[in-house]
């Protein structure tokens, strides 16, 4: 089992919090694009208010612990581990409530090469607790705009976790699926569930477009986000995202195992 202080030490040692791999330049670029309402950074969110760069920086300082100084333009970004731990507690509490109520859940990721194990463990625990882990629109086609242009993907589920794959694409090192920030996969999944007459998820767990796309449609949604993903934190501030956990979301998959144990223990879902 992992206690709070041990997990705090792990977050810093693995650079999931503290000084993280995401550069200050990359984060600031994302904030500028978000302020300009670039869909690539909105990832499914339609903000209620206009967010200027200064407003976003203040919010990200509050939610993540990054520097609020506009003059700080280089180096590595910083996540306050105490903010990560507090958000993980809220994440675990919502997970526990879903288990107690036997709620149907939908889980998906745009980071399958990093976070599949984390989400799959949650899916296993929720299923064991009596929750229906939904897999709507399995195998359906979804066309996603990438830096290489429009690419056809298919929505699949691995161990109860939704992700997308390009048909026929080679998967180096056995990667389970493609990296994407798009909200289109969750929109497809939710539309398919509605067309089939339900059930619809009472909770959506994931990252990037899975959270923002579901939250924008009024679903209870939560998940981790890096310092260059302001959409989840804006969604949380405006009430469309339930919990955004500040966290480096592109570290080695093994680094998330202590977080899994911590969350499941707090949610009373440990095996």
């Amino acid at each position: 089992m992992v206690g709070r202080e041990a997990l705090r030490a792990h977050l810093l040692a693995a650079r999931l919090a503290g000084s993280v791999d995401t550069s200050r330049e990359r984060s600031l670029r994302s904030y500028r694009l978000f302020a300009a309402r670039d869909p690539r950074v909105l990832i499914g969110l339609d903000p209620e208010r206009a967010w200027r760069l200064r407003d976003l920086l203040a919010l990200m300082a509050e939610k993540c612990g990054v520097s609020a100084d506009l003059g700080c333009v280089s180096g590595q970004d910083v996540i306050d581990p105490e903010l990560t731990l507090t958000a993980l507690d809220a994440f675990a509490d919502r997970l526990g409530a879903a288990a107690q109520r036997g709620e149907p859940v939908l889980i998906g990721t745009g980071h399958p090469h990093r976070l599949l194990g984390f989400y799959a463990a949650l899916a296993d625990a929720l299923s064991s607790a009596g929750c229906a882990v939904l897999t709507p629109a399995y195998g359906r086609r979804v066309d996603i705009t990438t830096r290489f242009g429009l690419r056809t993907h298919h929505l699949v589920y691995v161990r109860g976790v939704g992700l997308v794959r390009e048909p026929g694409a080679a998967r180096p090192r056995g990667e389970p699926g493609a990296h994407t920030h798009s909200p289109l996969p969750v929109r497809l999944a939710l539309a398919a569930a509605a067309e089939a007459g339900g059930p619809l998820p009472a909770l959506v767990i994931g990252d990037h477009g899975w959270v923002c796309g579901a939250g924008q449609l009024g679903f209870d949604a939560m998940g981790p986000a890096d310092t260059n993903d302001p959409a989840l934190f804006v969604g949380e501030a405006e009430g469309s995202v339930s919990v955004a956990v500040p966290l480096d979301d592109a570290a080695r998959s093994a680094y998330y195992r202590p977080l899994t144990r911590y969350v499941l223990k707090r949610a009373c879902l440990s095996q």
Side-chain angles (χ1 to χ4, degrees):
M1 296 299 181
V2 178
R4 187 180 177 94
E5 288 308 311
L7 184 57
R8 185 183 191 279
H10 172 74
L11 290 171
L12 294 171
R15 298 187 67 186
L16 297 176
S19 178
V20 295
D21 284 338
T22 307
S23 69
R24 179 69 167 182
E25 294 94 331
R26 187 177 174 193
S27 293
L28 289 174
R29 178 178 180 273
S30 291
Y31 304 160
R32 292 188 182 96
L33 290 172
F34 189 96
R37 302 181 82 91
D38 189 310
R40 294 172 296 175
V41 184
L42 294 177
I43 55 177
L45 193 72
D46 184 13
E48 296 176 357
R49 53 167 283 195
W51 286 85
R52 300 172 301 172
L53 176 59
R54 188 175 297 276
D55 300 329
L56 280 170
L57 201 53
L59 177 72
M60 297 302 287
E62 175 191 348
K63 297 285 189 180
C64 296
V66 305
S67 172
D69 182 5
L70 274 172
C72 178
V73 296
S74 63
Q76 299 309 117
D77 237 331
V78 175
I79 294 175
D80 183 341
E82 289 301 318
L83 294 175
T84 302
L85 290 166
T86 298
L88 278 173
D89 287 348
F91 182 98
D93 291 346
R94 180 64 186 90
L95 199 71
Q100 289 177 356
R101 295 193 286 256
E103 294 177 343
V105 295
L106 176 65
I107 306 175
T109 181
H111 269 302
H113 54 311
R114 304 299 187 190
L115 291 169
L116 177 59
F118 173 72
Y119 293 124
L122 303 186
D124 288 344
L126 288 167
S127 179
S128 295
C131 296
V133 178
L134 307 179
T135 58
Y138 189 101
R140 295 269 191 93
R141 168 178 168 165
V142 53
D143 293 328
I144 298 174
T145 300
T146 72
R147 58 180 175 167
F148 306 110
L150 194 66
R151 292 288 187 271
T152 294
H153 296 73
H154 288 111
L155 175 61
V156 299
Y157 292 85
V158 177
R159 299 171 59 194
V161 182
L163 52 94
V164 295
R165 289 175 178 162
E166 288 190 64
R171 287 189 277 147
R173 301 183 304 279
E175 300 290 13
H179 172 233
T180 181
H181 289 205
S182 175
L184 295 179
V186 76
R187 290 176 183 166
L188 176 65
L190 293 170
E195 289 167 6
L200 294 173
L203 176 65
V204 177
I205 302 169
D207 46 65
H208 295 313
W210 283 87
V211 173
C212 290
Q216 184 62 43
L217 293 173
F219 290 88
D220 202 355
M222 64 179 189
D226 210 332
T227 58
N228 64 330
D229 294 324
L232 280 82
F233 299 102
V234 169
E236 186 180 44
E238 293 188 342
S240 58
V241 171
S242 298
V243 182
V245 182
L247 187 72
D248 187 321
D249 60 5
R252 294 181 182 178
S253 57
Y255 291 169
Y256 300 100
R257 290 173 190 159
L259 280 70
T260 306
R261 293 194 293 270
Y262 179 86
V263 165
L264 292 180
K265 178 185 176 184
R266 183 178 174 94
C268 300
L269 290 170
S270 298
Q271 298 298 317

